[in-house]
């Protein structure tokens, strides 16, 4: 009986040991898979941009004086010629009155000089026949003619004095007109740093204000030298002007992330490299009829890049090891890793130059849990649904 129990225990122990030693066989794991597709994709190169009005004019006083009135407010739209400021004109008004009186005095002097000329002329005409008849000597006629010439010279001096008086008066009038400072262009008023009572003049470093014509705005962005030459190589045209003409319209992303509704065109490129920054500047013009953009805004220029009929896979299908990018193809329900050449990543898609072909099946997500040779149970999903479900994280 004891021997039977010993034999039974040994058999049970052996059976248990065999069960522990036998490896557990796992079945194929389910993984989402997609087919490699071709799409037309638009990507963007982004460049920080500064925004300025089409024209920005500093407003300055042409004469010196104290501000007595500020007739506009910051951000107000004004038209060309509209009064903006008034300067005190008390002294100018007095000068104008004095200048006007000077014109009157000059006119009186002209009248008196003209009378002298007339009288001297009569005297000469009276003496001429008497000299011809030898009634009087020629000396008297010459004396009368000298008096006429002197009177005529006096008349010319009086006329010149009136011209000077008129010029003085017009100058004072112009200064009085300059005391009303008007808008040089139509546009939007900027800051008003100077208030009523401030003494201003033509040599002031601080402008009274700035007026910006923002019917169109300019967005300025820069490229480094390498990017600029890459741009030239890819652009169509034999000359810079032709390349600019053939460029696509660009977008402006505003500071809040939204896209400005109007597209812009690149209309100029600076002709030289800025040595301090190593960049070349571009100018883009945007229509701004709704006045949504202001002088001094910032944004980002989005330069479009078109990829036609390019191979795409979900970005989540790729993984990287030592700088090399891979995807897992599914062949006979088995994962096989393969190297791919990624052109660019756009909107959760990886654009592929080589390594896969259209229609091939790849693991779409969860590649961190896969190894080469892993048995796979494919679960077909839509690439678009996978890509759209991935939300950007900020």
């Amino acid at each position: 009986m004891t021997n039977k129990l010993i034999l039974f225990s040994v058999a049970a122990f052996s059976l248990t040991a065999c069960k522990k030693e036998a490896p557990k066989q796992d079945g194929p794991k389910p993984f989402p898979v997609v087919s490699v597709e071709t799409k037309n994709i638009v990507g963007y190169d982004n460049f920080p941009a500064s925004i300025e009005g089409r024209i920005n004019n500093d407003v300055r006083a042409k004469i010196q004086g104290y501000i007595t009135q500020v007739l506009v407010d910051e951000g107000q739209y004004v038209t060309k010629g509209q009064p903006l400021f008034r300067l005190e004109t008390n002294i100018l008004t007095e000068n104008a009155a004095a200048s006007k009186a000077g014109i009157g005095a000059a006119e009186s002097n002209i009248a008196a000089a003209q009378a002298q000329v007339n009288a001297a002329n009569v005297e000469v005409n009276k003496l001429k026949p008497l000299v011809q008849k030898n009634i009087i000597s020629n000396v008297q006629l010459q004396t009368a003619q000298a008096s006429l010439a002197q009177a005529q010279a006096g008349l010319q001096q009086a006329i010149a004095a009136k011209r000077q008086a008129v010029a003085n008066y017009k100058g004072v009038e112009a200064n009085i007109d300059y005391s009303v400072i008007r808008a040089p262009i139509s546009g939007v008023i900027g800051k008003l740093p100077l208030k009523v009572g401030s003494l201003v003049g033509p040599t002031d470093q601080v402008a009274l204000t700035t007026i910006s014509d923002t019917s169109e705005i300019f967005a300025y962005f820069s490229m480094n030298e390498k990017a600029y030459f890459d741009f030239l190589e890819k652009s169509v045209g034999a000359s810079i002007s032709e390349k600019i003409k053939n460029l696509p319209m660009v977008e402006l992303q505003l500071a809040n992330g939204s896209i400005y509704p109007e597209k812009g065109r690149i209309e100029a490129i600076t002709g030289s490299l800025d040595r301090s920054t190593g960049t070349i500047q571009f100018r883009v013009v945007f229509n701004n009829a709704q006045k949504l953009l202001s002088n001094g805004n910032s944004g980002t220029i989005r330069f479009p890049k078109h990829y036609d009929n390019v191979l795409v896979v979900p970005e989540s299908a790729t993984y990287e090891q030592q700088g090399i990018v891979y995807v897992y193809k599914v062949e006979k329900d088995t994962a096989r890793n393969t190297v791919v050449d990624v052109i660019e990543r756009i909107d959760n898609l990886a654009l592929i130059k080589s390594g896969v072909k259209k229609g091939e099946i790849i693991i779409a997500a969860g590649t961190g849990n896969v190894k080469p040779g892993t048995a796979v149970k494919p679960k077909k999903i839509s690439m678009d649904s996978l890509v759209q479900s991935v939300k950007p994280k900020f």
Side-chain angles (χ1 to χ4, degrees), residues 116-148:
Q116 290 179 0
V117 169
N118 293 340
N121 194 44
V122 168
E123 183 67 17
V124 169
N125 292 334
K126 183 178 71 173
L127 295 177
K128 280 182 179 181
L130 297 176
V131 171
Q132 291 174 356
K133 295 177 181 180
N134 294 320
I135 298 174
I136 61 173
S137 68
N138 192 44
V139 174
Q140 288 179 285
L141 177 60
Q142 290 176 348
T143 301
Q145 288 173 334
S147 297
L148 175 60

Side-chain angles (χ1 to χ4, degrees), residues 167-362:
N168 292 340
Y169 178 67
K170 287 183 177 180
V172 175
E173 274 192 327
N175 285 339
I176 291 175
D177 186 59
Y178 293 154
S179 69
V180 179
I181 301 171
R182 304 176 185 276
I185 61 171
S186 297
V188 179
I189 294 289
K191 293 177 63 177
L192 297 172
L194 301 173
K195 309 302 180 185
V196 172
S198 298
L199 178 64
V200 298
T203 60
D204 293 345
Q205 291 184 350
V206 177
L208 292 170
T209 189
T210 300
I211 299 180
S212 301
D213 177 1
T214 57
S215 57
E216 290 183 330
I217 63 95
F218 292 153
Y220 293 92
F221 72 93
S222 299
M223 285 186 185
N224 62 39
E225 196 171 2
K226 178 182 180 303
Y228 174 67
F229 284 116
D230 289 343
F231 157 79
L232 292 181
E233 288 180 0
K234 295 176 183 177
S235 302
V236 178
S239 63
I240 295 293
S241 59
E242 287 183 7
K243 291 178 184 292
I244 292 175
K245 184 178 179 181
N246 293 324
L247 289 176
M249 302 291 278
V250 300
E251 294 181 350
L252 175 64
Q253 186 175 27
L254 304 178
N256 65 351
S258 63
I259 302 299
Y260 183 63
E262 298 277 354
K263 289 191 175 183
R265 68 182 184 278
I266 295 174
E267 67 170 20
I269 303 173
T270 55
S272 60
L273 180 75
D274 186 336
R275 294 185 180 276
S276 62
T277 61
T279 59
I280 291 176
Q281 191 175 70
F282 289 64
R283 186 179 75 214
V284 187
V285 62
F286 288 89
N287 184 36
N288 191 34
Q290 303 303 318
K291 302 295 187 293
L292 298 178
L293 299 175
S294 303
N295 188 53
N297 285 152
S298 62
T300 300
I301 292 295
R302 287 160 45 93
F303 194 94
K305 298 183 296 182
H306 296 272
Y307 298 94
D308 296 329
N309 203 34
V310 65
L311 292 168
V312 295
V313 300
E315 195 171 14
S316 58
T318 65
Y319 70 97
E320 187 172 338
Q321 289 182 347
Q322 298 180 347
I324 301 175
V325 182
Y326 298 84
V327 297
Y328 280 108
K329 294 182 183 179
V330 178
E331 299 174 348
K332 297 180 180 180
D333 295 340
T334 303
R336 308 292 184 190
N337 65 332
T338 184
V339 177
V340 292
D341 185 0
V342 176
I343 303 171
E344 192 172 353
R345 300 175 186 270
I346 300 173
D347 295 336
N348 302 319
L349 289 172
L351 282 56
I352 306 299
K353 182 178 181 180
S354 62
V356 292
K357 297 179 181 179
K358 182 178 180 180
E360 289 185 323
I361 304 299
I362 62 169

Side-chain angles (χ1 to χ4, degrees), residues 56-69:
N56 298 296
N57 271 17
D58 285 343
V59 178
R60 299 181 183 275
K62 292 184 177 180
I63 61 171
Q64 191 172 54
Y66 291 95
I67 298 176
T68 58
Q69 285 182 293

